[in-house]
């Protein structure tokens, strides 16, 4: 059983990382504009930078790709845990989905195929959360939209949601009646995912402190 758990974790991590390393922001910017979005704006490969640089349609395609790969990673992780460990083990198959999500986020931020320079993982994490626990994702999306209406700052909403993610998820899995090892594992994974998002937004946090963070609808500061 121990070997099965190790095998499931290794294969899940590998699948998540390799999928996460596919940067749709870069692929779309090269396909549509023959350039790398990372040479513009914030230098990131995420949807926000694609939207600012190229507009809504490329950003929409980026959303589909980044969310899609995280959903696929979570599905693969769940399937690997179910097949290698079993559905009645102490760690439920959903634990594999969370583990895959973490490594998909790592791949997105440090992509193997694109020089280890990627994005900030918000969409990737959101896609995984949506496929794993739609209720949690819905609550966090509502929080994000409410703050965005007032602030028009994407990064602030991302940071707030990342901080709330472990708390909301913990309550969700307890209410759902998951066993203790599964609750602990899932919560630790959510803490890691949320911490990654906040860490990757550290430059945004400094700009928020200084009052210089970008607000949608305002002109770029030169």
């Amino acid at each position: 059983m121990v070997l099965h758990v190790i095998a499931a974790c290794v294969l899940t991590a590998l699948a998540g990382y390799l999928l996460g390393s596919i940067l749709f922001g870069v692929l779309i910017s090269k396909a549509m504009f023959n350039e790398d979005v990372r040479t513009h704006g914030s230098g990131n490969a995420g949807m926000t930078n694609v939207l600012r640089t190229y507009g809504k349609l490329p950003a929409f395609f980026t959303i589909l790709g980044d969310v899609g790969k995280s959903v696929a990673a979570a599905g693969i992780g769940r399937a690997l845990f179910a097949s290698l460990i079993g559905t009645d083990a102490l760690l439920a198959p959903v634990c594999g989905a969370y583990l895959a999500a973490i490594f998909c986020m790592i791949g997105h931020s440090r992509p193997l195929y694109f020089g280890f320079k990627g994005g900030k993982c918000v969409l990737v994490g959101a896609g995984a959360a949506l496929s794993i626990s739609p209720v949690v994702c819905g609550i966090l999306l509502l929080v994000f939209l409410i703050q965005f209406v007032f602030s028009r700052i994407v990064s602030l909403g991302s940071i707030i949601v990342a901080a709330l993610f472990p708390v909301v998820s913990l309550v969700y899995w307890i209410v759902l009646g998951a066993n203790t090892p599964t609750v602990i594992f899932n919560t630790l994974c959510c803490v890691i995912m949320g911490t990654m998002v906040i860490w990757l937004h550290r430059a945004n946090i400094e700009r928020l402190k200084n009052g210089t963070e970008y607000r949608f609808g305002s002109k770029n500061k030169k």
Side-chain angles (χ1 to χ4, degrees), residues 25-26 29-30 33-46 49-50 53-54 117-118:
V26 175
S29 64
K30 287 186 175 182
F33 304 97
N34 197 31
E35 58 184 17
D36 189 333
V37 67
R38 294 175 298 176
T39 62
H40 297 278
S42 64
N44 292 310
N49 199 33
V50 173
T53 305
Y54 302 116
K117 181 182 179 183

Side-chain angles (χ1 to χ4, degrees), residues 72-94:
I76 291 171
R78 188 190 296 265
L80 285 170
F81 266 56
S83 61
L84 294 176
I85 301 176
T87 57
D88 297 324
L90 289 178
L91 292 180
V94 71

Side-chain angles (χ1 to χ4, degrees), residues 128-210:
L130 179 62
S131 65
I132 297 170
S133 50
V135 173
V136 172
C137 190
I139 293 171
L140 296 177
L141 177 61
L142 181 61
V143 172
F144 178 90
L145 292 175
I146 290 173
Q147 76 78 33
F148 183 75
V149 167
F150 291 99
S151 72
R152 303 196 317 277
I153 302 176
V154 172
S155 61
L156 178 60
S158 300
I159 293 165
I160 292 173
V161 165
L164 290 175
F165 181 45
V167 178
V168 178
S169 295
L170 172 63
V171 174
Y172 173 78
W173 289 111
I174 290 176
V175 170
L176 207 62
N179 62 45
T180 300
T182 295
V183 171
I184 293 173
F185 187 94
N186 291 348
T187 302
L188 287 176
C189 286
C190 292
V191 169
I192 293 171
M193 292 167 68
T195 301
M196 285 176 60
V197 171
I198 294 173
W199 171 252
L200 290 169
H201 281 79
R202 58 194 182 280
N204 303 82
I205 293 172
E206 287 301 316
R207 290 194 293 270
L208 285 168
K209 291 179 181 178
N210 298 330

Side-chain angles (χ1 to χ4, degrees), residues 12 15-17 19-20 68-79 96-97 100-101 103-104:
T12 295
Y17 178 73
L19 276 172
K69 72 182 181 184
S70 64
V71 171
I76 291 171
R78 188 190 296 265
F103 280 88
C104 190

